[in-house]
Amino acid sequence: MLCSWTPLLWAAPQNALPSVGLYYGSGPVPVAFHDFDWLIVNPGEQRLPSDFPGQQVFSYVSVGETVPGDSRYAQLPTDCVLGSNPHWGGKIIDLAKASCRTYLLQQVVDPIWAQGYRGFFLDTLDSYESVTQGAARGAQEQGLVDLIQAIKAAHPNAKLIANRGFAVLPQIHQDLVGVLAESLYQSWSQADHRYTQVPEAERTALVRELHKAQGYGLPVIVVDYMPTSLNRKGWWEDAERIRQAGFIPYVSNPELTAVGAGLREPMPRKVLILYNSTQPEQYSTPFANGVMPLEYLGYIPEFRRLSQGMPPAPVPGEYAGVIFWSDGDPVDDVAALSNWILAAKAQGIPILLLGDFQNDLDAKAFQALGMAAPSSVDTASVRLLHAATPMNYEMSITPNPRDFLATKAPAGSQVWLQLQDSSGAREDAAAITPWGGYALSPYIITTLPNKDTRWLIDPFTLYRKAFRLPEMPVPDTTTESGRRLFMAHTDGDGFVSRADFPPYHIAGQVYMDRILKKYQLPFTGSIIVGDLLPGDRGLYPALAPLGTQVAREIFRLPYVEIGSHMWSHPFNWPAIEAGKNFPGINLPVPGYKFSPYMEAVGAAKWIDKHLAPPGKQVVIDQWSGDCEPDAQVVGLAYQAGLENINGGASYISKKDPSITAVPPIGIFRGKWLQVFAPDANEDYFTNQWHGPYWGYINVIQTFEMTNKPHRLKPIDIYTHWYTATKLASLSALEKVYDWVLKQSITPVFVADYAKIANNFFTIRIARQGDGFWIGGAQALQELRMPKELGYPDLHKSQGIAGYDATPNGRWYVHMDGQDSVYLALQSTPPKEPFIVSANAAIADYQQNNHGFSARLLGTVPLQLQLANVQACQVRVNGKAATVTGSGQVQSPAHHARIDVHCP
């Protein structure tokens, strides 16, 4: 907790100063405000200090005048009123009277203290100046001093920030932790309701007073006000101007409801997706096809079905963009949607309209967007006039006259797709507009006769351009320490099935002998409890004793992690959760009645008791069947401390070479993330286990096509135990493993990947100084950033261990798992030694003047590549290590301390 002007724990420009944010909204504070060290809020139940662990929270308190509508001032005695503020509507308080000061302390400050606030931002200190002069003004100033001293006497631990109050600063500075002033460069005139630039003379006078405050050792905060143009344009530049003048900046809208720019500018990562499909979210086009490219770019989808009603009005900086994706189903409340879209546009949030939206917005909305509603035209023919580079992405566009909609893009747009009919009417079918962009159906995604789909427009470029996405580092779930993540997991099906080749062992035994013991890579194996229940309680009473013995042997292997594949393997989760019961809905475990708890938690506890060796237990649920558990079931797993995986699964291949076959990271079931398996299992490649049984060899195509031109997924060898029942499938699996061993990988357990997947949605990123601050990156430790940003400045960075090139021309930047990381940037490659890549996670990285030290936490014998170590000594676990000419270092240890010392 910051309680004074002391150095922070992160290294960055202005590292002795706290970043400060202000939020005066009446609802919950947007999550981006957690990025600031100090936060000033309008007090209330939805903004209590307990909601902001690790931050110093200050409550707004107006001491010089009342706040209209605030009940705390309702009983202010009439003899405490000196006058009124015509612009803001407050009553100016007579601070010279002890009774009025007592009222403020007891009726305003004390109740806020009782809510848990331990910091106060004291506003309107100078209100008396507009109604007093001479001796009367002096009495008010003395009253102000007495009030602040009374607050400190009543609450000695209270931390106070004063808004200006320059006249009394010599008397109160020792009671303050900071001073704030408004309008150094940009201002808002409440009287005229307009933005103004601060005249030079006023700025010079203000700077003189601010320097006096700094002379008392107080940090000085300056708040400027700017219009909410697209993506808060100009706010960061103004904040940097204030910072370079020597003050803590904060730039926001006059209402102080926006996510502003300060020493940190939180970068919004959420994109709100409004959709009107009647399908379940998982099968809607926006989710099934639209989410993965968004996540690759580093952004978080937030879904809202229109039938749920419109969401609260967004604030500037809360969202990186808003998508309205119309699947063609009617919109019930066109006016509500139209008004919401225009409100978001007014807040400077980019809008992207996709699909059949021509009937979903009203005329007023289209007019405000600068275009007429697209209208259907009967025409005999249509020709393609222009297609920009992002069009014809996975398949060439062939216009059809029946799809023609006459419309023109707004003035100032970049038209991406332009069509013309036989009469000369024009359709600007896709464009980047001044407010975002749009693309009309059917020129977004097309469906082939075999039901496969193809993107007709490049979604990566579409999102970048429409949302004006900034160049910044983004979290990457595919890579660790510069090398592609690798994992392997097997679902419980077929564990006791007999192999159809001699000596006819059960599948679990064959898999252990032929795969697990041979490759000794991290592996997660799961069991269906119903398969191994003893006696007449189980499905296979004759095989259960042998299966139990083999499972115990597998789970004793040090490179095996234990998973649960449920109690009865539900095949149809939505049906069984709805209370339905029919043959094939789950495995017919004798005497068992479906229980969400027993599937999600009870099965894991049974495996812990009967199969797991001492010191090991189930760490992950591997969803079964259609992999569609509801929020209750997924929540039970999380509440029991279990990770989860399955569902989704990438099956892109030469047979279906579209990124529409690459799913998102997962789907939220309520507030719980169901983590999707990164890659498809052998069922997909063997026609649901009907053959060819060697088909899983084609998963290598998936691994290759999700690596270039974009690395979209990690490598996941995902199978069932029954793949070991046939020589053809077993041989294919061995070939897949052999291919993997030739790749540059960081092997991890599947439960670790599940944590990485969850962490993707909680990491916070903010501009700061000449680089970026990253908060909450603990399980996910890799960033991907454009080379145009430069190179990591390793001396100024904190928690950054090195970098390496990506397959698509960007940098992978390695973090060391600290909760707060600072990535400083420079224009030239670093000359200091650093980690280029490693097959292990990096922890406790410390750069010094002679090299660095770090811990590597791996699952296999260590391999790493170092840079700039030609004249350096490298020690691994205290022993001198051999370094090749290319910087390669190897060690038989899985965990190690690395020390690099250079002359």
Side-chain angles (χ1 to χ4, degrees):
M1 297 282 282
L2 290 172
C3 59
S4 62
W5 189 18
T6 54
L8 302 182
L9 296 179
W10 35 265
Q14 302 285 320
N15 67 342
L17 299 173
S19 59
V20 179
L22 292 88
Y23 180 73
Y24 286 3
S26 58
V29 177
V31 67
F33 281 95
H34 289 270
D35 296 354
F36 297 103
D37 300 304
W38 289 4
L39 180 60
I40 300 171
V41 299
N42 179 27
E45 291 296 326
Q46 295 178 303
R47 298 166 301 282
L48 295 175
S50 57
D51 297 327
F52 304 93
Q55 292 175 270
Q56 176 63 62
V57 180
F58 295 83
S59 168
Y60 175 90
V61 177
S62 178
V63 297
E65 59 186 74
T66 62
V67 178
D70 189 331
S71 62
R72 286 179 287 257
Y73 298 89
Q75 302 302 316
L76 183 73
T78 55
D79 66 349
C80 288
V81 178
L82 280 178
S84 63
N85 183 329
H87 306 308
W88 295 100
K91 298 175 182 177
I92 298 173
I93 300 172
D94 187 351
L95 298 178
K97 292 183 178 178
S99 60
C100 304
R101 298 195 299 272
T102 299
Y103 180 93
L104 285 170
L105 178 62
Q106 296 180 352
Q107 302 301 319
V108 179
V109 173
D110 287 353
I112 296 174
W113 179 272
Q115 288 183 293
Y117 294 92
R118 295 299 179 261
F120 300 102
F121 168 58
L122 307 179
D123 195 21
T124 62
L125 270 66
D126 302 334
S127 294
Y128 64 86
E129 292 181 354
S130 65
V131 292
T132 60
Q133 293 180 350
R137 178 171 295 186
Q140 294 298 320
E141 291 171 351
Q142 184 58 51
L144 179 58
V145 172
D146 292 343
L147 173 63
I148 290 171
Q149 291 176 347
I151 293 173
K152 287 295 290 184
H155 307 292
N157 295 324
K159 300 164 183 64
L160 308 180
I161 299 174
N163 188 351
R164 302 174 84 97
F166 301 135
V168 297
L169 200 55
Q171 290 79 40
I172 65 170
H173 66 85
Q174 69 278 358
D175 295 319
L176 305 179
V177 297
V179 171
L180 182 147
E182 297 166 278
S183 306
L184 184 63
Y185 296 106
Q186 306 290 336
S187 183
W188 167 257
S189 172
Q190 180 67 11
D192 302 325
H193 283 79
R194 65 184 180 91
Y195 295 95
T196 62
Q197 291 191 355
V198 177
E200 182 66 30
E202 289 184 20
R203 181 162 52 252
T204 300
L206 177 58
V207 167
R208 187 181 305 116
E209 296 296 337
L210 298 180
H211 284 163
K212 292 179 183 178
Q214 289 178 326
Y216 291 115
L218 294 172
V220 171
I221 306 153
V222 168
V223 178
D224 267 11
Y225 300 108
M226 293 186 69
T228 51
S229 55
L230 194 67
N231 277 348
R232 303 171 294 169
K233 183 179 180 180
W235 289 20
W236 174 248
E237 291 74 14
D238 188 61
E240 280 292 277
R241 193 178 178 190
I242 295 170
R243 179 178 73 87
Q244 290 165 8
F247 310 115
I248 300 172
Y250 191 71
V251 181
S252 186
N253 60 348
E255 299 82 10
L256 289 171
T257 53
V259 179
L263 285 180
R264 289 177 183 162
E265 182 190 30
M267 309 302 287
R269 291 187 59 219
K270 290 193 301 180
V271 171
L272 180 64
I273 301 177
L274 306 172
Y275 71 112
N276 61 338
S277 172
T278 55
Q279 292 182 302
E281 178 185 313
Q282 185 169 345
Y283 299 107
S284 68
T285 301
F287 181 86
N289 300 134
V291 165
M292 184 281 294
L294 200 62
E295 291 177 341
Y296 172 80
L297 294 171
Y299 290 84
I300 300 170
E302 182 178 296
F303 276 82
R304 179 83 172 201
R305 194 188 297 271
L306 292 184
S307 60
Q308 298 174 278
M310 299 309 302
V315 302
E318 183 177 8
Y319 293 105
V322 170
I323 297 173
F324 170 53
W325 199 315
S326 175
D327 272 357
D329 293 320
V331 171
D332 293 332
D333 196 337
V334 170
L337 174 61
S338 299
N339 290 335
W340 194 95
I341 291 289
L342 295 185
K345 175 179 176 290
Q347 296 299 317
I349 298 173
I351 307 295
L352 178 59
L353 304 177
L354 296 175
D356 298 300
F357 58 84
Q358 59 269 21
N359 298 317
D360 297 334
L361 301 178
D362 58 26
K364 180 184 71 173
F366 278 113
Q367 183 179 10
L369 296 174
M371 59 189 295
S375 57
S376 182
V377 175
D378 290 330
T379 184
S381 63
V382 173
R383 67 188 182 98
L384 180 63
L385 292 182
H386 167 70
T389 302
M391 306 305 299
N392 300 306
Y393 183 60
E394 292 182 331
M395 188 173 176
S396 296
I397 292 171
T398 304
N400 191 315
R402 69 185 180 189
D403 299 318
F404 187 81
L405 295 170
T407 190
K408 292 184 179 180
S413 297
Q414 301 172 21
V415 177
W416 279 13
L417 182 65
Q418 191 172 75
L419 313 172
Q420 189 176 61
D421 75 353
S422 53
S423 70
R426 195 179 82 190
E427 177 181 1
D428 293 343
I432 301 301
T433 68
W435 38 263
Y438 71 88
L440 284 159
S441 290
Y443 306 111
I444 306 166
I445 296 172
T446 190
T447 302
L448 305 181
N450 67 352
K451 304 302 181 184
D452 288 347
T453 50
R454 299 287 186 271
W455 277 98
L456 299 180
I457 189 170
D458 177 353
F460 304 103
T461 304
L462 176 65
Y463 291 152
R464 282 194 188 104
K465 297 295 185 181
F467 296 146
R468 278 67 166 179
L469 297 181
E471 297 285 14
M472 71 178 192
V474 298
D476 190 291
T477 61
T478 72
T479 303
E480 178 97 66
S481 306
R483 304 189 183 193
R484 194 176 184 187
L485 286 171
F486 162 76
M487 68 203 77
H489 76 291
T490 291
D491 286 346
D493 309 59
F495 186 79
V496 294
S497 297
R498 290 284 184 183
D500 61 8
F501 53 88
Y504 307 106
H505 287 312
I506 64 170
Q509 180 77 52
V510 179
Y511 207 113
M512 175 176 61
D513 293 340
R514 292 283 297 269
I515 302 297
L516 302 183
K517 291 184 177 180
K518 175 181 179 180
Y519 294 100
Q520 298 189 21
L521 290 169
F523 173 83
T524 304
S526 63
I527 292 296
I528 303 168
V529 169
D531 285 356
L532 298 187
L533 285 172
D536 58 6
R537 295 175 56 211
L539 292 165
Y540 306 104
L543 289 170
L546 175 60
T548 297
Q549 175 186 333
V550 172
R552 288 170 177 166
E553 186 177 354
I554 290 173
F555 292 155
R556 282 195 296 268
L557 295 174
Y559 38 83
V560 171
E561 176 180 77
I562 309 176
S564 166
H565 202 44
M566 311 297 113
W567 192 281
S568 70
H569 192 291
F571 291 98
N572 187 328
W573 282 91
I576 203 168
E577 288 162 342
K580 296 180 181 179
N581 187 13
F582 49 79
I585 198 170
N586 65 340
L587 292 175
V589 178
Y592 172 71
K593 182 179 180 181
F594 171 75
S595 158
Y597 177 84
M598 292 304 294
E599 300 292 344
V601 181
K605 290 184 177 295
W606 188 93
I607 295 170
D608 288 345
K609 182 177 180 180
H610 296 283
L611 303 179
K616 252 186 179 182
Q617 60 184 20
V618 173
V619 294
I620 191 165
D621 273 340
Q622 298 172 216
W623 306 118
S624 63
D626 59 11
C627 297
E628 294 184 35
D630 63 12
Q632 178 193 11
V633 175
V634 180
L636 285 169
Y638 276 104
Q639 290 161 2
L642 298 171
E643 301 298 330
N644 77 94
I645 199 158
N646 284 350
S650 175
Y651 53 88
I652 185 174
S653 64
K654 292 178 181 178
K655 176 184 173 184
D656 188 2
S658 172
I659 60 169
T660 60
V662 182
I665 294 169
I667 186 170
F668 277 91
R669 307 294 188 184
K671 68 178 182 178
W672 311 105
L673 178 68
Q674 177 188 341
V675 180
F676 286 165
D679 300 299
N681 60 43
E682 81 278 48
D683 270 10
Y684 173 79
F685 296 97
T686 60
N687 296 306
Q688 303 304 309
W689 202 239
H690 289 96
Y693 295 109
W694 50 262
Y696 190 59
I697 191 71
N698 290 323
V699 77
I700 293 174
Q701 296 175 19
T702 301
F703 298 158
E704 291 173 335
M705 296 173 76
T706 53
N707 191 44
K708 294 180 181 179
H710 304 93
R711 183 174 290 176
L712 303 175
K713 292 290 177 181
I715 297 171
D716 178 17
I717 295 182
Y718 173 22
T719 60
H720 300 83
W721 295 110
Y722 56 67
T723 207
T725 62
K726 298 184 180 296
L727 284 172
S729 54
L730 194 58
S731 176
L733 181 57
E734 289 175 323
K735 290 176 182 177
V736 172
Y737 265 96
D738 291 340
W739 179 90
V740 166
L741 289 177
K742 297 175 184 177
Q743 312 307 306
S744 177
I745 56 172
T746 297
V748 297
F749 289 105
V750 170
D752 293 325
Y753 171 73
K755 293 173 184 172
I756 289 170
N758 268 281
N759 201 183
F760 175 87
F761 297 93
T762 59
I763 286 174
R764 309 188 306 280
I765 301 173
R767 278 194 184 110
Q768 182 174 308
D770 297 324
F772 293 87
W773 173 84
I774 300 96
Q778 295 176 310
L780 190 159
Q781 293 183 216
E782 199 77 356
L783 300 170
R784 189 179 66 253
M785 82 171 195
K787 289 185 176 179
E788 291 78 7
L789 289 177
Y791 303 86
D793 183 332
L794 298 171
H795 271 304
K796 292 183 179 178
S797 295
Q798 179 70 38
I800 299 296
Y803 68 97
D804 195 8
T806 73
N808 62 331
R810 298 192 164 213
W811 296 129
Y812 284 128
V813 179
H814 326 319
M815 298 181 287
D816 72 350
Q818 293 185 37
D819 186 60
S820 181
V821 169
Y822 182 67
L823 170 60
L825 297 170
Q826 61 187 30
S827 59
T828 57
K831 297 180 180 179
E832 305 91 343
F834 63 87
I835 298 174
V836 176
S837 69
N839 66 346
I842 302 169
D844 300 331
Y845 184 87
Q846 297 292 328
Q847 188 87 24
N848 57 57
N849 292 332
H850 298 284
F852 71 84
S853 64
R855 287 190 301 128
L856 294 180
L857 307 176
T859 59
V860 294
L862 293 173
Q863 300 174 359
L864 66 154
Q865 182 181 2
L866 304 176
N868 301 332
V869 294
Q870 294 83 350
C872 306
Q873 294 180 340
V874 178
R875 303 184 76 83
V876 177
N877 286 334
K879 297 180 180 179
T882 300
V883 183
T884 69
S886 61
Q888 305 288 337
V889 179
Q890 295 187 358
S891 169
H894 292 191
H895 294 184
R897 176 183 172 86
I898 308 297
D899 291 284
V900 176
H901 184 85
C902 307

